[in-house]
Each structure stands twice: as structure tokens, then as C-alpha cells.
Amino acid sequence: LCGDLQTQMPFPFSLLCLQVIKCKAAVMWEANKPFSIEEVEVAPPKAHEVRIKIVATGICRSDDHVITGGMVMPFPIILGHEAAGVVESVGQGVTSIKPGDKVIPLFVPQCGECSSCLSTKGNLCSKNHIGSAAGFMPDGTCRFTCKGKAIHHFLGTSTFTEYTVVHEFAVAKIDSAAPLEKVCLIGCGFSTGYGAAVQTAKVEPGSTCVIFGLGGVGLSVVMGCKVAGASRIIAVDINSDKFAKAKELGATDCVNPTDFKKPIHEVLIEMTGNGVDYSFEVIGRTETMAAALACCQYNYGVSVIVGVPPAAQKITFDPMLLFTGRTWKGSVFGGWKSKDSVPKLVADYMKKKFVLDPLITHTLPFTKINEGFDLLRTGK
């Protein structure tokens, strides 16, 4: 019946069923201010778009970078990019997703058509919004309004809201039995760190690794290094309270740079003899990026930048560090092709190939999102 009616109408019949949804969202009206819980209007999905009821969302340091100005985005905005939910409705032409499906929004999309999507070497789809201050859907418009004002999107996901709209290439269908309050972490933090080790660096059995920064992403790197068979995993952080969990997840050594008078890269070289095989910077500071490069083995060491670099900052380093043979790499979303890999990672979680519970320190109601960010900023 729907098909017959569609041929008689100037617009898709399916759109007749879709209406604006009013719901709660955490709106960031301006930088360096708390989130404001507001009633927002979420427009129906347009062609090739999907509207999702968000069930669980994680807090990531990248969200905080927007608040503090480290990542430049337009305001007002709805942040959030690490989440899981259930499809509420779909726009015309959507074939891979249907209402009722459990899904994870993808801040790194996979259009399947651009050079990176078609290459076996890359995963950063050209449709991504990383490094862009656009804040719109692909057609240049917003789906959120609040108090009569258009509210910008973040990284094509915007998950700090009860309902969001994403493009079909920015969402992955997952196992219907998956616990959304756990696998939401596969939307960013876990996949980013774990993949940096097993996918980007391709850590080998018996190798030595060092991880700078022991937040959720850094701990996921630790997990990846352990799964890859690294013989020595050195965890570095200025907050020693994080060491117990790092060791629980596979770290063999823990180092606090504030305990030493000499530069941390010199400490690490002394600890390992010639430097480490693989280093990972998971903080987003130029100083630690340089230290991570310097502590690598001088000829074949590989250093991976995982933390988001601060806006408008440059890095200065001795080119001899690279001339001797070191490799310096970046890793976005762990190098995974998102639409292909996220369902597989969820399946691996369901098969107990890795754990996510240790990465969850607090579970809060959505209205306490400001308290969640306070916990993030205090390293808790």
C-alpha cells in the first residue's frame, strides 16, 4: 500500500508519518559555560538520514575541548559523539537501517565512495567533520532548534540529547542483544585506543610499548597492547591514582613524570635500554607528543598520536629524530573503517574478547551532565 501511494504523491509517503520531536538536550550556548538542559525540537530525518533515540552517551575529552576553545566550533551547539541508541525513524532512501534497530552513531563516517573509504590504507572518510567548524548536516542545515534558534551539530553525531539525527553513512547497526550502556564506548574511546595499538601501530608479540595518558582512551591502548602480546607495557600519567586500573588492564610498569627531575623521555630510554618499540600519546599536548617520539627506539620505533591536537598550536622537534628511522603516525578512531568495523567490535565484545566495564567509572542521569564533566576535569 505504501508503495502504491508513493507513486501518486509528489513527496515520499513515509515523511507523512514523521513529525518534530520535542525532547531534552544539553545545549552549550557559549564557551566556558555549563551545559544548559533545554527542551529542543528535533526535526524529522530528511532523505538518507536517521533519527535516533539516544539511550547512553559517554563523555570524551574532545567534547571538553570545544567548551574550552581547544577545538573551535560554532555556538550554540549540542556536543557528544560517543553513544548508542535505537532508531526512531528514517528518511527517504535509507535502506541499511530500520526503526527499532540498535545503532552506534559514527563521528568518523564511512561513505564508501571517497578515496579513503576505497583505499585499504585509510579510514578517515572525506565526509568527516574533524577539523571543520561547520556544525551542520551534509546539506548545510541543522535539525535542532531551541527557543527559536538553530542549534549546531557536532561531528555529525550530537549525542547529548534524547534524540538526534545523523546521516545514513554515519551510523552502524549493531547486535540487538548488545547492552547499549556498555557498547556506547565503542563509538569513540575504546575503539580509538584499542585500534591505535592493534590496527594503526600493529603492535607485535614481545614488543615494548609506552602509553602517555591513562584516561579511557589510554587504558584502551593498554588493552590493545596486551591483546597484541606486548611483553612490556609502560603506563605514564601525572595522576598516580590511575595506576591500579592500568595494571589491572595489562600495564607492567607505571611512571609518574613528576617523580623525576630529568625529562620523561630520558627516563623511559634508561628503563628500556634503547627506547620503546611503540609509543602512544593519548593526551593531546604538543609537549607529550614530542616526548613520545623521542622515547622511541631511534631506528625502528613507531610513535602514534592519538590525542586530539590543540587548535592553533605548532610543534617543534629535532628532524634527526625522524632521519634515523623513527616513524611518526596519527590515528583517528583507531584506524577502523567505522561502518564495517563497529558491528564487528560489538560482536567481539559480546564474545567476551575484551572488557568494557573497567572503563566505566560513573553512571549518571542525563540531567547531571555538568557533574560528569567535573569528574572528567578532575581526573576521576
Side-chain angles (χ1 to χ4, degrees):
L1 177 62
C2 274
D4 291 337
L5 282 171
Q6 279 186 321
T7 62
Q8 302 167 28
M9 297 195 175
F11 46 85
F13 175 79
S14 59
L15 294 186
L16 294 176
C17 307
L18 305 184
Q19 299 179 351
V20 170
I21 287 179
K22 292 184 177 180
C23 68
K24 288 179 182 176
V27 177
M28 179 60 53
W29 291 103
E30 56 184 307
N32 295 302
K33 293 291 178 68
F35 288 93
S36 179
I37 303 298
E38 306 276 7
E39 181 180 83
V40 300
E41 295 179 342
V42 185
K46 294 185 180 181
H48 300 290
E49 294 178 357
V50 179
R51 188 161 60 183
I52 304 167
K53 177 180 174 62
I54 298 295
V55 174
T57 185
I59 290 174
C60 179
R61 180 69 70 177
S62 299
D63 301 308
D64 196 44
H65 285 335
V66 178
I67 298 168
T68 60
M71 183 186 294
V72 179
M73 291 295 294
F75 293 94
I77 192 169
I78 293 175
L79 298 174
H81 62 284
E82 180 184 87
V86 179
V87 174
E88 178 270 337
S89 58
V90 299
Q92 182 187 17
V94 174
T95 57
S96 61
I97 303 284
K98 67 181 185 302
D101 285 345
K102 283 187 175 182
V103 293
I104 288 178
L106 308 171
F107 76 93
V108 172
Q110 186 181 346
C111 73
E113 299 172 352
C114 70
S115 59
S116 289
C117 285
L118 294 174
S119 171
T120 58
K121 299 177 182 178
N123 74 315
L124 188 56
C125 174
S126 66
K127 301 292 196 299
N128 83 87
H129 288 199
I130 297 168
S132 163
F136 299 107
M137 293 294 286
D139 69 351
T141 63
C142 299
R143 301 292 169 271
F144 302 115
T145 55
C146 181
K147 299 177 180 177
K149 293 184 178 180
I151 308 297
H152 292 93
H153 294 250
F154 179 57
L155 298 182
T157 50
S158 289
T159 62
F160 291 166
T161 170
E162 292 176 323
Y163 287 86
T164 192
V165 177
V166 304
H167 195 278
E168 185 180 14
F169 56 50
V171 60
K173 179 182 176 180
I174 62 171
D175 187 338
S176 61
L180 299 183
E181 74 281 5
K182 312 284 189 186
V183 299
C184 63
L185 299 182
I186 292 174
C188 179
F190 172 78
S191 303
T192 296
Y194 187 77
V198 304
Q199 182 82 1
T200 303
K202 293 181 170 57
V203 171
E204 301 120 338
S207 55
T208 56
C209 303
V210 61
I211 297 93
F212 288 76
L214 300 176
V217 182
L219 291 171
S220 298
V221 177
V222 171
M223 293 166 68
C225 292
K226 182 180 180 181
V227 164
S231 62
R232 194 170 186 187
I233 302 170
I234 305 169
V236 178
D237 203 293
I238 59 172
N239 183 354
S240 298
D241 292 341
K242 297 185 177 184
F243 291 166
K245 184 163 288 189
K247 287 190 173 180
E248 173 191 339
L249 293 174
T252 58
D253 306 80
C254 293
V255 177
N256 188 327
T258 62
D259 292 340
F260 302 88
K261 292 183 179 179
K262 62 178 65 175
I264 186 61
H265 73 274
E266 293 182 9
V267 173
L268 294 166
I269 290 171
E270 288 181 6
M271 285 178 65
T272 56
N274 288 310
V276 297
D277 298 313
Y278 299 96
S279 68
F280 302 86
E281 201 281 350
V282 203
I283 303 168
R285 293 177 59 87
T286 56
E287 299 92 335
T288 40
M289 289 174 187
L293 178 66
C295 75
C296 277
Q297 204 278 347
Y298 70 92
N299 179 226
Y300 52 78
V302 176
S303 186
V304 183
I305 295 175
V306 187
V308 178
Q313 287 196 23
K314 306 299 180 186
I315 191 165
T316 301
F317 68 100
D318 181 353
M320 187 61 73
L321 290 170
L322 294 180
F323 175 76
T324 56
R326 290 178 180 87
T327 300
W328 212 356
K329 305 183 73 171
S331 180
V332 179
F333 194 57
W336 305 109
K337 288 187 182 292
S338 58
K339 266 182 102 71
D340 293 342
S341 300
V342 163
K344 294 175 183 176
L345 287 166
V346 171
D348 284 349
Y349 169 74
M350 299 297 284
K351 294 172 186 173
K352 295 181 169 52
K353 291 187 177 181
F354 55 80
V355 295
L356 293 173
D357 283 52
L359 302 178
I360 301 172
T361 58
H362 299 76
T363 302
L364 300 171
F366 179 49
T367 52
K368 292 189 177 181
I369 189 168
N370 285 307
E371 293 182 27
F373 272 82
D374 288 340
L375 290 165
L376 173 80
R377 292 165 187 146
T378 54
K380 297 177 182 177

